[in-house]
Amino acid sequence: MKIFSINPGSTSTKIALYEDTTEVFTKTLRHGVEELSAYSSIFEQYEFRKKIILTSLKEEGYKLSDIDYVVGRGGLLKPIPGGVYKVNDSMLTDLKTGVLGEHASNLGGILARQIANEIESISDKKVDAFIVDPVVVDELNDIARYSGHPELPRISIFHALNQKAVARRYARENNNKYEDLNLIVVHLGGGITVGAHEKGKVIDVNNGLDGDGPFSPERSGGVPSGQLAKLCFSGKYQLHEVKKLITGKGGFVAYLGTNDAREVEDKHNEGVKEYSDVFKAMAYQVSKEIGQCSAVLKGKVNAILITGGIAYAKEFCSWIEERVSFIAPVKVYPGEDEMLALTEGVYYALKGEQEIQEY
C-alpha cells in the first residue's frame, strides 16, 4: 500500500511517500515568513500549503492516483486516547476552529482529508485520511491528575507520536504486543518527556511543554514553585516574559545561552566545565523522572527506551543508563522520525495491530 504522510510545521511542511513502511521519497517544503504573513489564521494557510504539496508530488514524478491512504500530523484536538483516528467531520471542525488553540499541526488532518478528496475525485477508489497520536493524547490515571492544588491539575501534553511509535517498534522487535508490556519511554528533544506506558496506555507523563519534569535545551522543567511565585511578583518580569523563561528561554538557553545540544556536547568533550555540569545535570534530572515512572509501574518494567535527537549523544545516554539500568534494560532509538511514525501507525492499524478509532 502507498501511504502519503504530511507533517505541517510553523515554517515548513514535510511530506513523504511510503510503500508499506519503506520510504519512497521525503521532502521538506519551506515557507517564508512573508508568504505566511498574508494569512490571518493557521486554517487560512491550508489551500496555499495544499497547492505546494500537490506541485511537489508532481515534480517528484508521482500521480495522486498512486496514493492509497493519506495521514497527517494530529493537532490540538480535545484530549483523546492514543491511536489511529480516521479524519471525520467532527475532527475537521475542531481543527478549523482551534478548539484547544492554533498550531500548524492543526493543518495535518485538514490537508490529509483535502488531498484524499482530490484523489477520490480523479479515481474510482475510496481514500481514507488519518491522524496518529497527536500531542493531546490523554491516558492518565485519575490519580496522576492530582498536582497538590485543584486549580493546578496535571495535564497530558507530550511527544505522543514518537513515544508510542518507539514503544510499538520495541514490542515488534521482541515479538510482543505493546499492550502486553510495561515500558518507560524517554523523548529527548527541545522538550523532554518521560512516559510510564502500562499495557499500551501512557498512565503518567510529565507535561514537557510548560513546566514539569526535567529541564531541557529550552525549557525550565519543574522549578521550585515558591521561588517562581516570588519571581512573578518581583516586578522584574511581565507574564509573557515569565512564560518565556519556562518555555523558550529555560534549560540550556538560561544556563549557557544556546538551545543546541550538539554545541553543549562539543563543549563538554572539549572539557569546558560549565557545559559539562549542565549537561550532566540534565541527565541526572531525566534519570530521576525515570525513577518516578518506575514507582508508578510498581517496579514492573520490561524496558526503558530512550529516543529523540539528543539520544544520538552516546555519553549522555550512558549517564542515564548508569543510574537506571537496575530498573530494567535500556534500549536507545536515536532520532525522531515523525514521517515513519505516522506511516507505521496507519500501516499496522490497517493490518489489524490496533483498532482504527473515531473522533
Side-chain angles (χ1 to χ4, degrees), residues 225-273:
S225 54
Q227 293 179 45
L228 178 62
K230 287 180 182 178
L231 195 69
C232 290
F233 288 91
S234 67
K236 190 176 177 182
Y237 299 103
Q238 298 293 316
L239 174 60
H240 72 277
E241 293 173 314
V242 173
K243 291 176 78 171
K244 199 68 177 174
L245 292 179
I246 293 169
T247 304
K249 291 187 176 180
F252 285 174
V253 175
Y255 286 112
L256 305 171
T258 180
N259 66 355
D260 189 342
R262 291 167 298 184
E263 180 184 343
V264 176
E265 183 184 19
D266 289 344
K267 292 286 188 181
H268 158 70
N269 291 333
E270 292 167 13
V272 183
K273 185 177 185 301

Side-chain angles (χ1 to χ4, degrees), residues 60-330:
E60 292 291 332
Y62 295 96
K63 296 181 292 185
L64 275 177
S65 56
D66 292 334
I67 297 168
D68 300 307
Y69 301 97
V70 188
V71 58
R73 182 71 188 268
L76 296 177
L77 295 159
K78 295 167 186 170
I80 53 177
V84 177
Y85 287 79
K86 192 178 291 187
V87 179
N88 60 18
D89 290 342
S90 296
M91 182 186 294
L92 288 173
T93 298
D94 284 353
L95 290 172
K96 289 173 183 177
T97 58
V99 65
L100 277 188
E102 278 207 346
H103 190 273
S105 61
N106 288 10
L107 292 170
I110 297 169
L111 288 166
R113 185 61 262 168
Q114 289 288 330
I115 289 172
N117 289 346
E118 294 264 350
I119 299 167
E120 288 182 341
S121 71
I122 61 169
S123 65
D124 58 357
K125 60 183 177 182
K126 188 179 187 311
V127 180
D128 287 321
F130 303 93
I131 66 164
V132 179
D133 291 323
V135 294
V136 294
V137 164
D138 185 348
E139 300 168 337
L140 296 186
N141 278 344
D142 288 342
I143 199 170
R145 301 182 191 279
Y146 286 85
S147 68
H149 198 287
E151 290 195 44
L152 303 168
R154 295 184 68 241
I155 60 175
S156 179
I157 296 181
F158 70 110
H159 303 92
L161 178 63
N162 194 38
Q163 282 209 23
K164 291 265 190 180
V166 165
R168 289 185 180 280
R169 202 168 298 158
Y170 172 83
R172 283 193 294 271
E173 288 173 359
N174 290 275
N175 298 313
N176 281 308
K177 286 186 175 181
Y178 171 50
E179 292 77 11
D180 292 336
L181 298 175
N182 284 356
L183 303 167
I184 297 172
V185 186
V186 182
H187 177 98
L188 302 174
I192 291 176
T193 55
V194 183
H197 296 234
E198 182 181 63
K199 304 293 188 285
K201 292 185 178 180
V202 184
I203 62 170
D204 204 341
V205 64
N206 65 295
N207 177 346
L209 179 63
D210 61 359
D212 194 15
F215 73 79
S216 75
E218 54 187 28
R219 298 173 195 176
S220 296
V223 295
S225 54
Q227 293 179 45
L228 178 62
K230 287 180 182 178
L231 195 69
C232 290
F233 288 91
S234 67
K236 190 176 177 182
Y237 299 103
Q238 298 293 316
L239 174 60
H240 72 277
E241 293 173 314
V242 173
K243 291 176 78 171
K244 199 68 177 174
L245 292 179
I246 293 169
T247 304
K249 291 187 176 180
F252 285 174
V253 175
Y255 286 112
L256 305 171
T258 180
N259 66 355
D260 189 342
R262 291 167 298 184
E263 180 184 343
V264 176
E265 183 184 19
D266 289 344
K267 292 286 188 181
H268 158 70
N269 291 333
E270 292 167 13
V272 183
K273 185 177 185 301
E274 182 184 8
Y275 285 78
S276 293
D277 289 348
V278 173
F279 206 32
K280 290 176 181 177
M282 191 168 81
Y284 175 81
Q285 289 200 0
V286 172
S287 302
K288 285 171 64 177
E289 197 72 22
I290 292 170
Q292 290 187 66
C293 283
S294 72
V296 168
L297 296 170
K298 302 176 182 177
K300 297 174 182 176
V301 184
N302 295 101
I304 298 165
L305 312 180
I306 300 177
T307 184
I310 302 174
Y312 283 110
K314 292 181 180 179
E315 189 174 15
F316 184 85
C317 293
S318 73
W319 293 333
I320 296 172
E321 187 169 4
E322 284 173 11
R323 293 185 182 277
V324 304
S325 59
F326 74 95
I327 297 169
V330 177

